[in-house]
Amino acid sequence: MLGKIGLEEHFAIEETLGPSMGFASARVGFKEKLLDLLEIRLDLMDKYGMDMMILSLNSPAIQAIYNKQEAIDVAKKANDIMANAFAQKPNRFRGFAALPMQDPDAAIEELHRAVDELGCVGVLVNGFSQIDDKDNIVYLDDPRYRPFWAELEKSGKPFYLHPRKMHPKNAGLIDGHPWLDGATWGFTVETATHALRLLSCGIFDEYPDLKILIGHLGETLPFLVGRIDNRMNIVRKAGFGPPAQKPFYEYMAKNVWLTTSGQFQTAPLLATMMEFGSDKIMFATDWPFEEVQEACEWFDACPISELDRQKIGRDNAIKFFGLDL
């Protein structure tokens, strides 16, 4: 398929590069790919039928900078560098803003600057933030973020909840099994749990027009949300249910969109389409942590209707982001 639009396409700046370099041993030229904005990736896009990438900063990046002022400064620098790329190639790139969630007021300010001045189409946050100290981790359901969610809803822009590695104090589950960390399994546990915290805490009742994106076909949630709701009914009846007023499935159906990043297998895609429909899914590669070639060749050949392929590969993104293409 020609004209694909990818939603989870990463870059780094020197200040955020370090934590991602653990992937370098398995990727030839990984550092160069991650730092590149206008050369390597454009060649790949042209070769494999991608019209556009929506860029985002690597993980954990800003969320791991526990000095608040440094987090603010690096987020602004990264957003400026990214915006320069899509200013040069507006028909090939857009961007998700990085935000310094260590300071909710600063995050709101950068949200507005990134959207109104730089032209970002949304924001992407890499899970929990470390604030003031490396061991002080704060998730996005924390009450301090309610004003941020209010402003995000007013902006109409989507929020991409992206993975990061589990904090050591939460990683005992895989202690002694380092091969399960990161994208193998740890990302899924961390991000799916974070998403469930958001579904639980009531923000979708307070801010019903929020739009949340989750990659990797929803980090298993499309396959588990029915069971989760079934058990949640029991705990609600027992009197210790969550603040959320509705079944989690309803929030996912209304407020959550999913991408194919790093999930290049047909059976999970078909299952997700059966559960939430092709209108709720968008194409993504997760480059350079995954390969553009693998993502595109799988998607172009997977046995779905051409109508669904066009929706997932391009049309849904144009509609979702209001792209003028």
Side-chain angles (χ1 to χ4, degrees), residues 73-140:
D73 293 342
V74 176
K76 288 182 177 180
K77 179 178 179 179
N79 291 336
D80 287 342
I81 290 172
M82 177 179 67
N84 181 61
F86 58 74
Q88 292 185 61
K89 298 285 185 179
N91 292 326
R92 307 306 303 272
F93 299 118
R94 294 289 197 278
F96 290 113
L99 295 181
M101 301 305 292
Q102 291 84 347
D103 183 330
D105 291 336
I108 291 171
E109 183 177 340
E110 184 61 9
L111 162 68
H112 289 302
R113 187 185 81 93
V115 169
D116 299 336
E117 298 180 23
L118 302 182
C120 290
V121 297
V123 302
L124 182 145
V125 171
N126 294 305
F128 62 84
S129 292
Q130 291 161 279
I131 304 178
D132 295 326
D133 181 272
K134 63 182 177 63
D135 292 324
N136 181 33
I137 66 174
V138 180
Y139 287 89
L140 291 160

Side-chain angles (χ1 to χ4, degrees), residues 1-19:
M1 171 188 168
L2 298 177
K4 294 185 288 294
I5 298 172
L7 268 66
E8 191 181 319
E9 318 303 337
H10 302 295
F11 75 101
I13 61 175
E14 290 291 347
E15 290 88 340
T16 67
L17 185 61

Side-chain angles (χ1 to χ4, degrees), residues 23-264:
F23 294 89
S25 61
R27 302 287 186 194
V28 175
F30 179 82
K31 179 179 178 180
E32 291 75 16
K33 291 176 181 178
L34 198 50
L35 292 172
D36 169 76
L37 281 172
L38 294 174
E39 296 181 9
I40 302 171
R41 70 181 69 223
L42 276 171
D43 289 342
L44 287 168
M45 291 164 67
D46 290 341
K47 185 174 182 179
Y48 296 106
M50 292 184 70
D51 266 6
M52 178 176 285
M53 283 187 171
I54 299 181
L55 304 170
S56 55
L57 197 59
N58 63 315
S59 179
I62 309 304
Q63 275 57 68
I65 303 173
Y66 49 89
N67 178 281
K68 291 180 182 178
Q69 189 58 54
E70 183 182 356
I72 294 168
D73 293 342
V74 176
K76 288 182 177 180
K77 179 178 179 179
N79 291 336
D80 287 342
I81 290 172
M82 177 179 67
N84 181 61
F86 58 74
Q88 292 185 61
K89 298 285 185 179
N91 292 326
R92 307 306 303 272
F93 299 118
R94 294 289 197 278
F96 290 113
L99 295 181
M101 301 305 292
Q102 291 84 347
D103 183 330
D105 291 336
I108 291 171
E109 183 177 340
E110 184 61 9
L111 162 68
H112 289 302
R113 187 185 81 93
V115 169
D116 299 336
E117 298 180 23
L118 302 182
C120 290
V121 297
V123 302
L124 182 145
V125 171
N126 294 305
F128 62 84
S129 292
Q130 291 161 279
I131 304 178
D132 295 326
D133 181 272
K134 63 182 177 63
D135 292 324
N136 181 33
I137 66 174
V138 180
Y139 287 89
L140 291 160
D141 59 304
D142 190 279
R144 75 187 72 187
Y145 293 124
R146 285 307 201 266
F148 167 79
W149 292 118
E151 287 298 310
L152 184 67
E153 183 189 46
K154 289 177 187 177
S155 78
K157 301 299 182 182
F159 181 100
Y160 205 124
L161 179 64
H162 186 268
R164 65 173 296 183
K165 292 178 69 170
M166 290 184 283
H167 190 275
K169 71 180 184 181
N170 290 336
L173 182 67
I174 57 172
D175 187 37
H177 298 264
W179 45 85
L180 295 179
D181 201 3
T184 306
W185 182 239
F187 281 0
T188 292
V189 174
E190 176 67 35
T191 310
T193 305
H194 198 164
L196 288 171
R197 292 175 69 124
L198 294 177
L199 293 169
S200 299
C201 74
I203 62 167
F204 298 108
D205 300 311
E206 295 179 53
Y207 314 114
D209 293 324
L210 284 176
K211 295 183 285 189
I212 306 295
L213 284 156
I214 304 175
H216 313 118
L217 288 178
E219 305 289 3
T220 74
L221 291 179
F223 321 122
L224 297 175
V225 68
R227 172 172 168 77
I228 291 168
D229 275 334
N230 176 273
R231 307 314 295 176
M232 201 64 65
N233 289 335
I234 295 174
V235 300
R236 283 192 173 104
K237 290 176 182 178
F240 55 96
Q245 298 173 13
K246 299 176 182 178
F248 290 178
Y249 187 95
E250 291 190 27
Y251 299 127
M252 288 194 66
K254 180 183 178 184
N255 300 100
V256 176
W257 283 257
L258 310 166
T259 80
T260 66
S261 61
Q263 180 65 280
F264 313 138

